[in-house]
Amino acid sequence: MSDTNWWRGAVIYQIYPRSYLDTTGNGVGDLRGIHDKLDYIADLGVDGIWISPFFTSPMADFGYDVSDYRDVDPLFGTLADFDAVIEKAHRLGIKVLIDQIYSHTSDQHAWFEESRRDANSDKADWYVWADAQPDGSPPNNWQSFFFGPAWTWDARRGQYYMHNFLPQQPDLNLWNPEVRAEICDTLRFWLDRGVDGVRLDAISHCLHDPQMRDNPAREKPDAKKPGDMQSMVHTVGLPDTAEFMRELRAVLDEYPGRFAVGEIGGEDPLAQAVTYADPERSLQTAYNFSFLFKGPLTPALIREAIEDQLARHPNGWPTQVFSNHDAVRAPTRWGGVDASPAYAQMLNALLLSLYGSVCLYQGEELGLCQADVPYERLVDPEAIKNWPHTLGRDGARTPMPWTREVPWAGFAGLEPWLPVDARHVDLSVEAQAGIDGSTLEVTRALLKNRKASAALQTGEIRFVDAGENVLCFERVSGGERVMCVFNLGDAESEVELPGRWYGMSDIALPGVIDGSRLRLRGHGFWLGLPA
């Protein structure tokens, strides 16, 4: 694989910096903490890291409300600290991605302060403004993703401004070529500092319907928020977004070897990915949302999602993800509150065997369950507003457990911004490092296997029928073939394999009978090579 296409089949380790390691004693993780743990990350065997936002921000949405795209929030350190992360990561052979949020800014961004001053300011049209209806109500029925209308009245401007998320996150007007040019220069700023790629947050939200037409209603019996009750066809996934994606790609192409992964959501993310994510001329890859919020985990869920991807987007390249900072951790979401280490190991083996690139969320290598955060400790505005119907994102964002130290597991020297779940202490890096059969060591071995196998990194995927609870597929590249088998059920299963095989490694190796019959324990997995 050329260095230009290093991202194909790469494993990117997502770091949520607030929760990785606190080196300053304020209870919040920082860039120096990431720097200090890069040796640990290199030892895992991943290809790169993606750092969630560390930019200047009032933290209404914990960094996803940016008030200065080109500086580091003092909470996380300085630009020099970031440069040190880049230097050490590259020295260790680790690529660095950063989060870029181009659909909106903070309401404390200097651009918005000027835009809201009056309708004649230089940046009057840099955000989405609209007049009230004759009765004073918002311009249309658009709803935000978090709660309530996507419009907030601004007395200084005498108009409503649009926000797909919090009122503190006004939407940029990316129909304005001046805004697009400024965003492209922002991207160049970080590429010039040496970043190897970007994760584009909520990028399918970057354009709105200029005619301001109402979104149609949709039936959703399990709706928890007003936004769930409408089809957001005029606020998410507009076809013209593809042109902006191509402009961003042109910037990336000025810097050989850099790439972008898009967070492309909506009611049919794959349909948008077909338009926005073209490795040849647009975003190189897009998040596959088929697994983050869906369940239960069955062979059909995996197979249908991958086959749908291949059928509808044959020239695309997906990025597979089971957990991140916005979703309930996969072991809990799919395996329940009592999910075992074996279940977490099987999930990691499956994720690292799938077709596409992979994002591995911090703590996934430890098999962390979703943390239990009591109501009085919640900080996620979505969770607080919608409690108890949605528990929000805090349970996936609690501090990384490094040691057995109680109560903060080596993350900080004083109480952290979110509590450490007591169950995580026994799953800490210290508790698992060097222990045969631990989730950490199994994941390290799986990453080593993947890095050594062209089939597992970039090969084709061919599914094999294997029974109700067993998922079976082959990865094929040139003359290399790898058989991947996963028992998603909790009872032992026997599988008849096509042909004769032997175990690729001794990771969770079950019994193999006559070279073709395989016995898998509950939540067991097996990787094999042709005999």
Side-chain angles (χ1 to χ4, degrees):
M1 189 187 308
S2 72
D3 189 60
T4 300
N5 292 323
W6 67 269
W7 49 270
R8 282 188 177 266
V11 179
I12 307 298
Y13 182 77
Q14 182 195 353
I15 297 173
Y16 193 70
R18 294 183 69 90
S19 297
Y20 206 58
L21 180 66
D22 171 23
T23 65
T24 61
N26 63 359
V28 175
D30 46 63
L31 290 172
R32 284 171 52 194
I34 296 171
H35 176 275
D36 290 353
K37 291 299 182 181
L38 283 170
D39 295 289
Y40 164 79
I41 294 167
D43 191 51
L44 280 179
V46 298
D47 301 288
I49 57 174
W50 148 32
I51 308 175
S52 289
F54 51 84
F55 317 108
T56 309
S57 167
M59 302 294 165
D61 192 24
F62 300 102
Y64 284 92
D65 51 319
V66 178
S67 58
D68 186 343
Y69 281 115
R70 304 187 187 191
D71 204 356
V72 173
D73 194 278
L75 190 67
F76 299 120
T78 65
L79 277 170
D81 291 327
F82 177 74
D83 292 341
V85 169
I86 287 274
E87 188 280 327
K88 183 175 180 180
H90 286 172
R91 181 159 37 88
L92 292 171
I94 300 169
K95 305 288 189 180
V96 179
L97 281 71
I98 60 172
D99 234 320
Q100 291 287 268
I101 307 100
Y102 295 154
S103 72
H104 57 268
T105 70
S106 165
D107 62 351
Q108 296 184 31
H109 198 294
W111 300 346
F112 188 70
E113 290 291 342
E114 183 171 348
S115 185
R116 78 192 313 182
R117 191 173 67 236
D118 61 62
N120 298 310
S121 71
D122 289 343
K123 292 183 171 54
D125 195 33
W126 279 44
Y127 291 82
V128 183
W129 294 96
D131 292 330
Q133 296 193 52
D135 63 358
S137 59
N140 56 31
N141 75 342
W142 295 350
Q143 295 290 315
S144 74
F145 274 81
F146 283 170
F147 38 79
W151 297 99
T152 290
W153 177 257
D154 186 82
R156 277 171 283 181
R157 176 87 178 224
Q159 287 182 303
Y160 282 95
Y161 67 85
M162 179 190 170
H163 49 88
N164 269 308
F165 300 97
L166 294 174
Q168 297 94 327
Q169 295 169 296
D171 273 38
L172 285 164
N173 178 18
L174 284 157
W175 290 106
N176 185 333
E178 292 181 356
V179 179
R180 291 196 190 195
E182 184 64 33
I183 289 299
C184 286
D185 282 345
T186 294
L187 178 55
R188 290 187 184 95
F189 174 86
W190 291 105
L191 294 171
D192 286 339
R193 290 199 97 83
V195 302
D196 301 285
V198 290
R199 182 258 192 186
L200 297 174
D201 179 73
I203 199 64
S204 49
H205 300 74
C206 67
L207 288 181
H208 65 286
D209 175 24
Q211 299 180 50
M212 299 285 181
R213 289 170 288 187
D214 281 353
N215 279 329
R218 66 166 173 162
E219 291 186 12
K220 191 173 182 184
D222 61 343
K224 299 294 193 301
K225 298 172 285 186
D228 296 336
M229 303 174 192
Q230 60 181 224
S231 182
M232 296 185 175
V233 296
H234 297 309
T235 49
V236 180
L238 273 68
D240 295 271
T241 304
E243 178 58 34
F244 180 45
M245 299 303 97
R246 287 191 285 271
E247 291 176 25
L248 294 175
R249 174 60 184 271
V251 174
L252 290 165
D253 286 345
E254 297 171 13
Y255 302 79
R258 317 299 174 89
F259 93 112
V261 52
E263 184 195 28
I264 300 174
E267 294 173 41
D268 188 355
L270 181 54
Q272 295 173 45
V274 170
T275 304
Y276 305 159
D278 179 343
E280 298 302 319
R281 63 194 188 102
S282 190
L283 306 184
Q284 286 92 336
T285 178
Y287 249 33
N288 184 351
F289 271 92
S290 300
F291 310 126
L292 263 182
F293 301 104
K294 293 183 179 179
L297 178 63
T298 64
L301 175 69
I302 301 294
R303 181 169 183 170
E304 289 170 6
I306 299 296
E307 290 182 338
D308 191 32
Q309 161 81 34
L310 293 170
R312 295 169 61 191
H313 198 191
N315 298 321
W317 186 260
T319 291
Q320 311 294 359
V321 55
F322 284 177
S323 294
N324 73 4
H325 63 293
D326 285 333
V328 173
R329 286 188 177 273
T332 302
R333 187 173 71 250
W334 283 330
V337 294
D338 297 320
S340 67
Y343 190 81
Q345 292 169 24
M346 184 268 293
L347 290 183
N348 286 351
L350 172 56
L351 178 64
L352 293 169
S353 300
L354 287 178
Y355 166 79
S357 301
V358 168
C359 277
L360 190 72
Y361 182 44
Q362 66 181 52
E364 216 165 349
E365 76 274 23
L366 304 177
L368 296 187
C369 58
Q370 181 79 352
D372 181 17
V373 181
Y375 177 78
E376 61 272 14
R377 290 299 307 273
L378 292 176
V379 295
D380 177 11
E382 180 189 18
I384 295 168
K385 184 73 173 183
N386 295 298
W387 189 89
H389 298 297
T390 60
L391 297 180
R393 302 165 293 178
D394 290 333
R397 299 177 174 185
T398 56
M400 178 80 171
W402 294 104
T403 70
R404 292 188 177 96
E405 179 188 355
V406 176
W408 302 313
F411 166 76
L414 53 74
E415 187 168 3
W417 73 291
L418 281 174
V420 174
D421 192 306
R423 296 169 296 174
H424 288 185
V425 175
D426 290 334
L427 297 173
S428 67
V429 173
E430 181 184 57
Q432 296 194 48
I435 304 300
D436 288 344
S438 71
T439 303
L440 174 58
E441 296 302 338
V442 167
T443 304
R444 280 176 171 156
L446 289 165
L447 285 160
K448 182 178 180 181
N449 272 359
R450 182 182 173 98
K451 187 162 282 191
S453 169
L456 288 175
Q457 289 182 77
T458 59
E460 300 175 28
I461 187 168
R462 302 171 184 172
F463 288 93
V464 177
D465 292 330
E468 181 180 0
N469 292 318
V470 177
L471 176 67
C472 184
F473 54 80
E474 241 187 295
R475 298 295 308 279
V476 181
S477 176
E480 183 187 3
R481 299 164 61 201
V482 179
M483 183 67 71
C484 308
V485 191
F486 308 89
N487 183 0
L488 307 186
D490 53 13
E492 183 179 279
S493 292
E494 287 195 1
V495 184
E496 183 70 35
L497 299 174
R500 298 175 64 83
W501 303 80
Y502 67 93
M504 185 177 185
S505 73
D506 59 358
I507 306 169
L509 185 65
V512 181
I513 306 170
D514 296 331
S516 62
R517 285 192 66 81
L518 180 68
R519 183 182 298 114
L520 276 175
R521 70 181 187 223
H523 304 150
F525 65 89
W526 183 82
L527 306 177
L529 300 172

